[in-house]
Amino acid sequence: MQGFQLKFRALCDSGADKNILPLNLLPPAVHRLIKPVNMTFNGCGSMKSVGTIYGRLSHAATSHKFDNVTFYVVKSSFPPIIGREFLTSHPDLAQNSFALEGPRLKLTLTNGQQLALPWATSGRQAQSLLKTTSTAQLIKDLATNHHVTVDTTLFKGADLDKLVNLLWEYRDIFNKDGDPIGQFRDMVRIPTIAGLTKSQRERPIPKHQHAEVKAQIDSMAKDGIIEPCPDGKGFHSPLVIVKKKTGGLRICSDFKSSLNQCLDETTDIWPLPQMDHLFANIEHGHRIFTSLDVSKAYWNLLIDPRDRHKTNFTFDNKCWMYVRLPFGLKFSGDAFCRSISSMLDSV
């Protein structure tokens, strides 16, 4: 670390925005290297940063070294934390490559090598931190940093403590603005009848909507939802712009008379779960029920590269195709339900 070598064990926490290093781990000679920064963290109570320090992070098991890692130094007994800034942005790491496997977090380097790191929300150390933080502090952290609001009028006493501890332990699963889109394990195929293609002409988009539509198209390309299509190979579906209740615009593709007409009999079919079956599986005595909404639902599914051209559309003289499963395909719901069922099979 800028001429000094420090050895410490750090925890990974994708719920933390920054990398955190307690001041008491740094020898006095290193303090002069700290660059003052005015920032307060609200993870487990309020922690004020005294500044930042830059260093090289070394993975003990493989000796791989990560250069130019920024740590925020805090006056706290909190253990060193490797946060989302490192996990999602360091140039040595493949984009969106980290995955939780039991008590370990697996990272994939750009060269394909995998590293295993300890995970903050698993293990005794994270639990001991949880016990030293009040329920009120955790509620504040969930609301401030994770957009999770706890209704304290419905839960009281021990029930409230258990709920808040559970939400805080798994706080990294709640989507926040700027978080990368998730990704299911299996890719989706779009099987079509051999030799059959269908194309529908582009529909006009009102001039006053162009700026907002272009902004959304640019955002989708940046997030890896769509990519340029060099050749539609006879397929093309028009864009449909739908006005949301909030007043904004939703970009959709109309596959009704194009791609949906070409799907063959091997298209994925997976029935939606029936509500009466779900309620029948609930054991007697349970009082609290909840539902979860998957952020960017269908976009968590990647389309097999061999089939992406079939989803192409045109806007502003550019041809795009979906990288992730779009709404509007006849079997999108089936493919999504199959993936969800597969993930929950071991639960």
Side-chain angles (χ1 to χ4, degrees):
M1 182 172 285
Q2 295 173 312
F4 296 86
Q5 270 196 341
L6 303 175
K7 186 175 181 180
F8 55 82
R9 183 177 177 84
L11 298 176
C12 289
D13 183 2
S14 65
D17 290 330
K18 305 294 185 182
N19 307 314
I20 297 175
L21 188 63
L23 182 63
N24 59 16
L25 285 184
L26 300 176
V30 178
H31 291 188
R32 61 181 176 81
L33 301 175
I34 298 173
K35 181 180 179 181
V37 169
N38 184 19
M39 180 176 288
T40 301
F41 299 97
N42 297 303
C44 276
S46 180
M47 297 183 296
K48 187 174 179 61
S49 173
V50 298
T52 59
I53 193 166
Y54 301 89
R56 172 183 289 173
L57 187 65
S58 178
H59 183 247
T62 63
S63 299
H64 182 84
K65 294 176 174 59
F66 298 91
D67 290 324
N68 300 319
V69 179
T70 304
F71 285 92
Y72 286 77
V73 182
V74 297
K75 291 182 178 180
S76 172
S77 58
F78 216 75
I81 292 292
I82 305 300
R84 194 167 58 250
E85 183 176 65
F86 172 80
L87 297 174
T88 62
S89 303
H90 196 277
D92 286 5
L93 295 173
Q95 188 176 14
N96 302 334
S97 66
F98 65 90
L100 180 61
E101 292 190 9
R104 299 285 176 177
L105 184 74
K106 283 199 171 180
L107 301 178
T108 303
L109 302 177
T110 51
N111 64 8
Q113 182 183 5
Q114 287 195 330
L115 310 179
L117 302 173
W119 180 245
T121 55
S122 299
R124 297 176 183 175
Q125 193 166 12
Q127 292 304 313
S128 65
L129 289 170
L130 189 59
K131 291 176 183 177
T132 62
T133 308
S134 70
T135 297
Q137 287 175 312
L138 295 180
I139 290 175
K140 182 179 179 181
D141 174 62
L142 288 168
T144 303
N145 299 316
H146 306 282
H147 306 295
V148 177
T149 303
V150 179
D151 189 343
T152 56
T153 63
L154 296 176
F155 301 91
K156 301 290 184 182
D159 283 343
L160 178 62
D161 294 339
K162 289 178 182 178
L163 173 65
V164 172
N165 287 349
L166 180 68
L167 292 173
W168 193 85
E169 181 180 355
Y170 294 100
R171 64 199 182 279
D172 55 290
I173 72 170
F174 296 102
N175 185 69
K176 299 181 290 296
D177 293 339
D179 280 356
I181 300 172
Q183 183 175 316
F184 292 149
R185 290 189 297 266
D186 300 326
M187 286 191 177
V188 176
R189 290 301 311 266
I190 306 178
T192 51
I193 299 171
L196 179 62
T197 62
K198 283 188 178 292
S199 174
Q200 292 290 310
R201 294 178 60 185
E202 181 181 357
R203 296 174 186 170
I205 296 174
K207 187 67 176 177
H208 69 275
Q209 294 181 342
H210 267 236
E212 184 174 349
V213 172
K214 185 180 186 306
Q216 288 199 38
I217 294 290
D218 291 344
S219 177
M220 291 167 70
K222 180 182 177 182
D223 292 340
I225 299 163
I226 58 174
E227 64 184 7
C229 178
D231 183 4
K233 301 179 182 179
F235 291 95
H236 183 270
S237 300
L239 276 185
V240 178
I241 310 303
V242 180
K243 194 168 185 178
K244 301 178 183 177
K245 292 181 180 179
T246 57
L249 301 179
R250 176 179 287 112
I251 295 178
C252 307
S253 287
D254 185 0
F255 300 109
K256 184 177 180 180
S257 301
S258 52
L259 182 53
N260 279 345
Q261 299 296 317
C262 301
L263 300 177
D264 73 11
E265 68 277 1
T266 64
T267 300
D268 200 359
I269 298 177
W270 190 265
L272 288 170
Q274 297 182 27
M275 292 302 295
D276 54 342
H277 291 174
L278 295 177
F279 284 121
N281 287 328
I282 297 175
E283 296 182 7
H284 177 71
H286 292 292
R287 300 182 296 111
I288 301 171
F289 306 95
T290 188
S291 61
L292 296 175
D293 183 26
V294 179
S295 176
K296 308 289 193 305
Y298 295 172
W299 286 355
N300 287 270
L301 283 164
L302 287 175
I303 301 174
D304 190 294
R306 292 170 290 181
D307 295 320
R308 292 175 185 175
H309 66 278
K310 301 174 183 178
T311 67
N312 78 86
F313 64 88
T314 305
F315 175 74
D316 201 20
N317 295 320
K318 293 182 181 178
C319 189
W320 301 92
M321 59 186 178
Y322 283 91
V323 175
R324 294 173 178 263
L325 188 66
F327 297 87
L329 283 178
K330 191 183 295 183
F331 68 94
S332 290
D334 298 271
F336 178 74
C337 285
R338 179 187 289 275
S339 295
I340 290 291
S341 297
S342 176
M343 285 198 308
L344 297 178
D345 187 52
S346 59
V347 177

